[in-house]
Amino acid sequence: MSYIWWIMKSLKTEVKIILAALAFFIFLPAVSVVVVAASGIQIVGDALVSLNPVTKLVEIFDTNGNKVADVSVTTNWPTRGYISDEFGTLDPVRQEMGLGRHTGIDIANRNGLIGEPITPFMVGTVIRVDHIDDDACGINVKLKHDHNITSTYCHLSQAVNITLNTPVKPGDAIGYMGSTGASTGSHLHFQINVYDIPVNPRIFMVGEPEASSVTIPTF
Ligand SMILES: [Zn+2]
């Protein structure tokens, strides 16, 4: 031990810092590395968007950490139902399908029914209407909002016939709940991305989808 100390003492400061950093990585338990890797998506997302506890506004940051916008929270849940899976969970079924952490929130119908209308959580424009059930998201609609925010609505039974760049707002039906794509029952996968990175939709949402304030047209 005294020999190591003697080496450390005789080294230049920069070299000591490098050695200390190396030792840190060598002795860091493998388990904590796994935890860091698994929570990476959450850490990145939290750096881009967070709720200010004082102003109660959602603050959007750019990738340099500068705040670019304040967005109001909303009770405009995109559909009725209960939350069957939160953002960031690591489910064995999803892992078997070759999918990683949950990138959105799942809202399911209590009775497993198909056809509950889906509506935008905030004003935006339509940037994708995929009527073909050929990937994990199934039949889906994607919207673009201000401040580099997008939202995606997956597993629809049906997407409405709507042309790209059409403006939409909460209350408009953009599709109907279903179970297309990688899905085991009727539910909506509701995903919000900021700068294309999935973030926890709960940051934007208040309350629960059972009590959505939006009057959604009935099917
Ligand atoms: Zn999902």
Side-chain angles (χ1 to χ4, degrees), residues 102 106 187 189:
H102 198 209
D106 288 349
H187 78 282
H189 174 90

Side-chain angles (χ1 to χ4, degrees), residues 128-132 134-135 137-142 152-156 159 180:
R128 185 175 72 217
V129 183
D130 186 357
H131 294 284
I132 299 160
D134 61 352
D135 60 13
C137 190
I139 295 170
N140 68 87
V141 174
K142 186 171 182 178
T152 309
Y153 308 82
C154 296
H155 313 309
L156 308 181
T180 56

Side-chain angles (χ1 to χ4, degrees), residues 120-192:
F121 88 104
M122 70 188 290
V123 292
T125 55
V126 178
I127 55 169
R128 185 175 72 217
V129 183
D130 186 357
H131 294 284
I132 299 160
D133 178 14
D134 61 352
D135 60 13
C137 190
I139 295 170
N140 68 87
V141 174
K142 186 171 182 178
L143 307 178
K144 182 178 180 294
H145 311 280
D146 286 342
H147 318 303
N148 295 292
I149 302 168
T150 60
S151 59
T152 309
Y153 308 82
C154 296
H155 313 309
L156 308 181
S157 60
Q158 192 189 326
V160 294
N161 277 319
I162 194 165
T163 46
L164 295 184
N165 299 316
T166 302
V168 285
K169 61 182 187 308
D172 296 342
I174 53 170
Y176 300 94
M177 192 189 286
S179 190
T180 56
S183 169
T184 54
S186 184
H187 78 282
L188 170 72
H189 174 90
F190 167 42
Q191 178 165 334
I192 299 178

Side-chain angles (χ1 to χ4, degrees), residues 84-87 89 94 99 101-107 136 154-155 182 187-191:
S84 58
D85 198 4
E86 296 282 354
F87 174 85
T89 57
R94 203 177 296 112
L99 305 168
R101 267 177 193 273
H102 198 209
T103 53
I105 277 183
D106 288 349
I107 305 170
C154 296
H155 313 309
H187 78 282
L188 170 72
H189 174 90
F190 167 42
Q191 178 165 334

